Amino acid sequence: MKSKSPTLLLWLLGLLLLVNMVQSHFTELLFDEAYYWYYAQDMAWGYFDHPPMVALMIKISDFFFDGELGVRFLSCILSSATLYLLWLMIDSVKKQQYVWHFFVLVTSMTLLNAYGFFTLPDTPLLFFTALFLWLYKKFLAKDTLFLALCLGVVMAALMYSKYHAVLVIGFVLLSNLRLLKNGKAWMAVVIALLCYSPHFFWLYENNFVSLEYHLYERPNRAYDFNDFTLGYFINLVALFGLTFPWIYRSLFKSKSTDLFNKALLYLVYGVLIFFFISSFQRRVQTQWIIVICIPMAVLVYNHILASPVDRKWIMRMGIANLVIMGFLRIGLVYPPLFPITFETHGNREWVEAIRSQIGDTPVVFENSYREAPMYEFYSGIPSFSLNNVQYRQNQYTIDGSEERVRGKKVLYIAKTYKQGDVVYQNAKGRTLYGKYIDDFQSFRNLSTAVEDAGKPGDGLALLKVYNPYPQSIPMRSLKFGITFLNHYKQVKQILPLQVRPVKEGETLLKGKDSTSFYFEMPESPIDDPGYFKITIAENNLYWAINGKNIKFETWNP
């Protein structure tokens, strides 16, 4: 009997690792990768959008290499390791005869191929899902204390990768409720919670800002069948490319022959159903469902070992997928081959176009957590994203990075500028402008809380403003406004708001202290408002994101 790991497979995985490393070196960063690189410059137990695993991967990669490979090196390693774990999960002795079929199947899955070198939160999610399932398979065969310990650590690593990991763990548990009576399974859960406790503490320290934003504050829009639900089904096709008919045919023919197979099926169908239901509320992004590629790879390969017809067609269409993806991967480096200007194109050029005009002057980008870290990565100069009420909160909201540019001369870049001191073109050819600000002062972390707004015409309402900064802020440098949003939390209109301090004569917002104001709740300027919030504009900057969205009906029933 041949070994479990035939030489051919090891050579193919080694070749794949080499190709991904070369690709990583020559491909400019995605905007999200630059954002996660920015995470890694200040290691923490959590970040605004994601848990910290992606930052840790970049920190480790940076230890070995510089530049783009210093962001992606560990992703290349984990990609090949993920495919090897998939191979280990397949028991059939026939697999030794179809190594090429396995390799083509897993590498032809479009996003699984892309995450072979890109460093995104889904990269460790895929690896730790594969490792979790492999350990779970062994745990089903023999539930030892060592395996329980390993499962606990890996479950924590899954959750440190991306919050979607709760679906992986939850659906596997749902497939085998007898685990609730297994003491070693409970031990694994306790270990996972202990390992994950630093992130829980980070969430607590940061007022659960990530959950608050994603669950309550994030804007949405009205249901659109084509973009939401139909778009979800298009994503299911895009996930597998030309092989999709035979991939899903293999899934539908797969049976729950044992507890492990049952777990794989529960995981696939559970994720598909969960996001199908979600598609009636918001647009489902393709990467949200990528985790099904791990159980699907095992289920589909087991099926094609017994089905010559499906095996033949998946091999043919898989090779076609690889040819197309190979062409596109070259296009990531050589733009003329790519059908559109992609975000890996031209970033060095627009960064250099700015730096050649301003030297080492820091740059503040209005409403762009994408351009700010990209500029800093390729220039080495501090950059900052100043977020306002027309945008969204992000890591720049909570990490105190505005202190790096406070009081300095900066170049302020806004897409709304029609002229400025500096002009450049981005990668897509759009002309943008920047203006110098000699003494940049922003106070984006001022927070507002409405104690009692009352109804329009009811008289004075109470507003509390907390100043988290150590320094006091002159009130004359601030303007107050009230932002009206629709029921989908989209900003519709902002009105100036007249406020006066409760304590007459106060002229400062004292550092590390709250100041109370009176204001009168105005009539809504929009029909059927859903929410409102009190916002502040400091030093002639645009309105900030200061307060939470407040349901309008709560204050004006």
Side-chain angles (χ1 to χ4, degrees), residues 217 387-390 393 397 402 442-450 463-469 473 478-483 509 532-538 541-550:
E217 297 292 312
N387 310 311
N388 66 41
V389 75
Q390 300 287 356
Q393 294 177 303
T397 305
E402 64 183 345
S442 68
F443 298 101
R444 296 278 106 167
N445 290 328
L446 293 175
S447 63
T448 61
V450 178
L463 167 70
K464 282 193 174 181
V465 178
Y466 177 67
N467 175 12
Y469 300 95
I473 301 170
L478 308 177
K479 292 188 297 185
F480 289 80
I482 180 167
T483 301
L509 294 183
F532 75 92
K533 65 169 68 176
I534 306 299
T535 53
I536 299 174
E538 74 277 29
L541 297 171
Y542 195 76
W543 305 105
I545 310 171
N546 303 108
K548 294 181 180 179
N549 295 326
I550 303 168

Side-chain angles (χ1 to χ4, degrees), residues 481-493:
I482 180 167
T483 301
F484 292 89
L485 306 92
N486 62 16
H487 290 276
Y488 300 104
K489 299 171 186 173
Q490 297 169 329
V491 173
K492 303 307 291 184
Q493 195 159 342

Side-chain angles (χ1 to χ4, degrees), residues 139 143 148 151 155 179-190:
F139 186 81
D143 56 348
L151 275 172
M155 282 193 289
L179 289 171
L180 296 175
K181 299 180 180 180
N182 187 312
K184 295 187 181 70
W186 278 107
M187 187 183 86
V189 171
V190 171

